């Protein structure tokens, strides 16, 4: 038989219950293997109940002290009741200096106290009883999250100034640096918003005209890492030059915002808008194949360009074990083969057509490729003018050994 003896308005603060005639403190903490909250209980006395009823600060301090014991129990372990009971008198019945001294020796959960209104400055100085004078029953979880984020930064040696913090709030990355940034002017102190907007304007001017294209080698929504890194470096340099007092976290969140927005523009644009050049005057029929037996035909006069169709084929089929793609013009007897695993390409032309049952002879030439941008240029050139149009995109190497040496030299750099 379990009866609730005392509870506060916030359901997470530990309750006092009577179970089989004995007083116990009951609290939820941690989770079991199924991610459901675990509930722990341990015995208390009437004197402890009296303090818990009358003194919110001591009640919260006890909760903070017991939570690490609950965490230590994990998903299946038992609460160390002896250790929990041993905290009762020192936390609830001791004078404030002794409580402060205790909290300098034990593990305790700071975030719970911060969420319930603790004075952070006093808390950091070890004056836990004094810090809890302003305690409230209702919790402010955002305050606790911000405190935790600030502590994580402090562990890295990062101290935010007012403008740094305002910029991180503007991008929504104050709490979590991995959050996709967004523009949230309402989250910024109005007095600081004009300064934040000047920093953002500096970043926008620095990357005006730059773009981050898609990289279909990694799927439909992946972006060009090189272009991302180039834009990030450009924005970083401009912002640091104009605002040298900003910490790295603030500068990075601004470049992250600019890059994320540029990438989103590419993802939302029609595929044809991502082409470097139209190919309306090029080939009439092309065949696309991959290393896994996939094939697709493009015929002139359809709704999309050959380049757009090819890159969609790549985005659909490309994978870690499928990184060789071919475009072939059977009528002209020529094609190109893209080797994504090696950042290289081969152009293949028919040197002599087979006669009387003999095989045709082909000339194969190789070239190193500089990222997805280089691939796009070569594909566009081929679909417009065939292998002849690729001549200006050399040098091309017919000697395989020479090409492999060039590739190793590049990779060594």
């Amino acid at each position: 038989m379990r009866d609730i003896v005392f509870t506060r308005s916030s359901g997470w603060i530990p309750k006092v219950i009577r179970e089989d005639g004995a007083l116990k403190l009951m609290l939820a903490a941690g989770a079991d293997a199924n991610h459901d909250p675990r509930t722990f209980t341990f015995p208390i006395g009437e004197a402890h109940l009296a303090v818990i009823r009358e003194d919110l600060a001591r009640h919260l301090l006890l909760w903070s002290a017991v939570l690490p014991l609950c965490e230590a129990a994990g998903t299946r372990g038992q609460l160390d009741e002896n250790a929990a009971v041993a905290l009762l008198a020192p936390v609830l019945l001791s004078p404030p200096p002794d409580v402060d001294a205790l909290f300098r020796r034990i593990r305790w959960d700071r975030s719970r106290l911060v969420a319930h209104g603790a004075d952070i400055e006093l808390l950091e100085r070890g004056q836990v009883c004094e810090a809890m004078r302003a305690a409230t029953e209702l919790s402010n979880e955002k305050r606790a999250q911000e405190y935790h984020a600030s502590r994580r930064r402090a562990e890295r040696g990062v101290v935010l100034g007012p403008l740094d913090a305002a910029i991180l709030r503007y991008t929504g990355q104050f709490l979590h640096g991995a959050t996709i940034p967004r523009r949230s002017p309402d989250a910024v102190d109005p007095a600081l918003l004009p300064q934040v907007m000047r920093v953002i304007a500096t970043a926008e001017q620095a990357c005006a005209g730059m773009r981050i294209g898609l990289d279909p080698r990694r799927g439909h929504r992946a972006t060009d890492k090189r272009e991302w890194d180039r834009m990030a470096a450009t924005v970083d340099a401009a912002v640091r030059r104009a605002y040298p007092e900003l910490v790295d976290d603030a500068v990075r969140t601004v470049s992250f915002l600019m890059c994320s927005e540029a990438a989103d523009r590419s993802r939302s644009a029609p595929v044809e808008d991502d082409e470097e050049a139209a190919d309306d005057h090029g080939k009439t029929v092309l065949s696309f194949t991959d290393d896994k037996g996939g094939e697709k035909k493009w015929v002139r006069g359809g709704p999309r360009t050959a380049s757009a169709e090819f890159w969609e084929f790549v985005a659909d089929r490309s994978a870690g074990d499928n990184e060789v793609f071919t475009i072939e013009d059977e009528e002209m007897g020529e094609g190109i083969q893209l080797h994504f695993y090696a950042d290289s390409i081969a152009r293949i032309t028919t040197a002599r057509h087979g006669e009387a049952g003999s095989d045709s002879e082909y000339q194969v030439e190789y070239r190193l490729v500089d990222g997805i941008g280089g691939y796009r240029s070569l594909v566009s050139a081929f679909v417009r003018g065939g292998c002849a149009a690729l001549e200006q995109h050399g040098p091309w190497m017919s000697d395989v050994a020479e090409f492999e040496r060039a590739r190793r030299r590049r990779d060594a750099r």
Side-chain angles (χ1 to χ4, degrees):
M1 182 70 177
R2 175 183 291 180
D3 297 314
I4 295 177
V5 176
F6 176 74
T7 186
R8 295 191 182 274
S9 58
S10 174
W12 287 102
I13 300 177
K15 300 176 176 65
V16 178
I17 64 170
R18 193 177 298 278
E19 190 172 52
D20 297 329
L23 285 176
K24 294 184 179 180
L25 193 72
M26 182 175 73
L27 68 159
D32 61 19
N34 296 319
H35 306 290
D36 294 324
R38 295 198 68 191
T39 299
F40 300 93
T41 63
F42 61 96
I44 67 171
E46 293 288 349
H48 306 134
L49 171 60
V51 175
I52 288 171
R53 282 184 185 277
E54 300 300 325
D55 195 330
L56 171 64
R58 295 289 182 118
H59 191 180
L60 295 171
L61 285 170
L62 178 62
W63 185 22
S64 171
V66 173
L67 276 173
L69 298 178
C70 299
E71 293 171 5
T75 59
R76 294 186 177 88
Q78 298 297 312
L79 176 69
D80 186 342
E81 283 196 9
N82 292 332
V85 170
L87 291 169
L88 290 170
V91 174
L92 297 177
L93 306 177
S94 298
D98 291 348
V99 176
D100 292 346
L102 172 70
F103 273 69
R104 287 193 287 270
R105 298 194 305 270
I106 65 171
R107 287 183 59 216
W108 49 287
D109 190 308
R110 295 169 182 267
S111 62
R112 290 303 86 220
L113 302 185
V114 172
H116 284 270
D119 184 303
I120 293 174
E121 186 175 340
L122 292 173
L123 211 61
E124 295 290 352
R125 292 209 301 257
Q127 298 172 252
V128 293
C129 289
E130 185 69 20
M132 296 306 294
R133 285 185 177 275
T136 60
E137 283 198 29
L138 295 178
S139 68
N140 182 341
E141 293 304 318
K142 184 178 180 182
R143 185 173 189 254
Q145 291 170 356
E146 292 188 352
Y147 172 74
H148 186 55
S150 296
R151 282 184 62 84
R152 288 200 308 270
R153 291 190 183 94
E155 290 170 359
R156 295 189 285 115
V158 177
V159 179
L160 301 180
L163 183 56
D164 298 312
I167 291 172
L168 288 165
R169 293 183 193 281
Y170 178 84
T171 62
Q173 289 200 303
F174 186 90
L175 297 181
H176 304 289
T179 303
I180 296 175
R182 60 188 184 278
R183 299 186 184 228
S184 304
D186 292 344
V188 180
D189 182 342
L192 289 170
L193 185 58
Q195 296 179 60
V196 172
M197 298 313 297
R198 284 194 288 271
V199 175
I200 299 299
T202 298
E204 290 172 334
Q205 292 166 10
C207 62
M210 299 182 74
R211 65 191 295 273
I212 298 176
L214 300 180
D215 188 346
R217 296 175 299 176
R218 297 186 292 124
H220 285 279
R221 294 184 59 78
T223 52
D224 186 341
K225 184 178 185 301
R226 292 190 182 195
E227 290 184 346
W228 181 294
D229 291 343
R230 190 178 303 122
M231 180 180 287
T234 299
V235 172
D236 275 14
V239 172
R240 290 181 195 280
R241 188 165 53 247
Y243 301 92
E245 72 280 7
L246 292 179
V247 300
D248 288 348
D249 288 31
V251 176
R252 278 196 297 267
T253 197
V254 174
S255 62
F256 193 6
L257 176 67
M258 296 298 111
C259 292
S260 295
E261 291 181 341
D264 283 342
R265 288 193 292 270
S266 290
R267 293 188 186 104
S268 61
V271 175
E272 283 74 14
D273 289 348
D274 195 37
E275 300 302 316
E276 295 193 4
D279 45 52
D280 295 333
H281 304 290
K283 303 292 187 176
T284 56
V285 180
L286 292 172
S287 175
F288 309 145
T289 58
D290 64 15
D291 224 17
K292 295 291 185 179
E295 184 173 2
K296 185 176 185 179
K297 291 281 188 181
W298 173 84
V299 180
R300 185 182 183 79
R304 304 174 71 193
T305 64
S307 293
E309 288 280 2
F310 172 71
W311 288 118
E312 179 167 292
F313 177 70
V314 170
D316 287 339
R317 304 278 301 175
S318 184
D321 60 348
N322 192 26
E323 298 185 287
V324 178
F325 287 78
T326 301
I327 307 177
E328 185 179 359
D329 183 340
E330 296 178 6
E331 182 180 352
M332 295 298 294
E334 61 182 14
I336 55 174
Q337 190 173 70
L338 289 65
H339 314 126
F340 294 146
Y341 66 91
D343 285 330
S344 65
I345 189 171
R347 66 172 180 175
I348 306 164
T349 54
T350 303
R352 186 180 66 81
H353 291 282
E355 297 178 359
S358 64
D359 293 334
S360 298
E361 295 180 3
Y362 299 96
Q363 179 181 2
V364 182
E365 298 169 289
Y366 302 90
R367 181 192 186 281
L368 299 174
V369 182
D370 186 18
I372 187 63
Y375 278 120
R376 286 190 182 281
S377 296
L378 293 166
V379 168
S380 293
F382 177 77
V383 298
R384 288 197 311 273
C387 284
L390 295 174
E391 190 63 36
Q392 61 180 311
H393 294 277
W396 295 89
M397 291 168 270
S398 57
D399 187 294
V400 175
E402 178 189 0
F403 170 70
E404 284 300 320
R405 286 193 296 271
R407 188 162 71 91
R408 285 195 294 270
R409 286 194 299 271
R410 179 202 60 189
D411 294 345
R413 294 196 297 270

